[in-house]
Amino acid sequence: MRRLKQEQQQKAREAKEMQQATRSDESELDKEMRRLKQEQQQKAREAKEMQQATRSDESELDKEMRRFRQEQQQKAREAKEMHQATKSDESELDKQMRMLKQEQQQ
């Protein structure tokens, strides 16, 4: 009878130790899961920041490209105006030359 009681007590101690070991393992697992979750959230924040920085860079690039295109269009307009003014001046010169020739011929 005493031996049975001792065996029962031994089994109870072993069961208690197993239960404590299991709790300890679960606690470690919980800690690891929290750590992994925090890492994942940190990576998500960093990815979001990178995405926003990229958008900001793209926005700046778009602004710069628009400004450049506007400058190019302005230069093209100015060149066209200069060309037309030159044509007009040449036309005026041609008229004056013809008039001078006519006067000389008379």
Side-chain angles (χ1 to χ4, degrees), residues 84-98:
Q84 298 217 331
T86 303
K87 267 186 170 178
S88 177
D89 290 349
E90 288 173 350
S91 175
E92 194 58 41
L93 260 174
D94 287 345
K95 284 181 189 173
Q96 288 179 1
M97 289 295 284
R98 278 196 303 277

Side-chain angles (χ1 to χ4, degrees), residues 73-89:
Q73 290 170 346
Q74 181 62 31
K75 287 178 183 176
R77 280 192 294 273
E78 290 170 1
K80 188 174 180 181
E81 288 170 4
M82 287 282 286
H83 181 69
Q84 298 217 331
T86 303
K87 267 186 170 178
S88 177
D89 290 349

Side-chain angles (χ1 to χ4, degrees), residues 7 15 29 35 42 44-45 48 52 78-79 87-88 93 97 106:
E7 284 179 13
L29 245 177
R35 188 186 65 74
Q42 180 62 29
R45 280 191 295 273
K48 190 175 181 179
Q52 287 174 340
E78 290 170 1
K87 267 186 170 178
S88 177
L93 260 174
M97 289 295 284
Q106 288 177 355

Side-chain angles (χ1 to χ4, degrees), residues 24-39:
S24 177
D25 289 348
E26 288 173 349
S27 176
E28 283 300 313
L29 245 177
D30 288 344
K31 285 179 189 174
E32 185 64 15
M33 289 296 287
R34 277 193 301 274
R35 188 186 65 74
L36 286 173
K37 189 174 183 179
Q38 287 172 343
E39 277 182 19

Side-chain angles (χ1 to χ4, degrees), residues 7-71:
E7 284 179 13
Q8 217 175 18
Q9 288 173 342
Q10 180 62 30
K11 286 182 181 177
R13 278 193 298 274
E14 289 172 0
K16 191 174 180 180
E17 287 171 4
M18 286 281 286
Q19 192 178 33
Q20 286 176 340
T22 301
R23 280 190 190 138
S24 177
D25 289 348
E26 288 173 349
S27 176
E28 283 300 313
L29 245 177
D30 288 344
K31 285 179 189 174
E32 185 64 15
M33 289 296 287
R34 277 193 301 274
R35 188 186 65 74
L36 286 173
K37 189 174 183 179
Q38 287 172 343
E39 277 182 19
Q40 193 175 25
Q41 289 172 338
Q42 180 62 29
K43 286 181 181 176
R45 280 191 295 273
E46 289 170 0
K48 190 175 181 179
E49 289 170 4
M50 286 283 285
Q51 190 177 36
Q52 287 174 340
T54 300
R55 280 190 190 135
S56 178
D57 290 348
E58 288 172 349
S59 177
E60 280 302 311
L61 199 61
D62 288 345
K63 285 179 190 174
E64 190 64 24
M65 288 298 288
R66 276 194 301 277
R67 189 183 63 73
F68 178 75
R69 269 194 303 269
Q70 287 171 346
E71 284 178 5

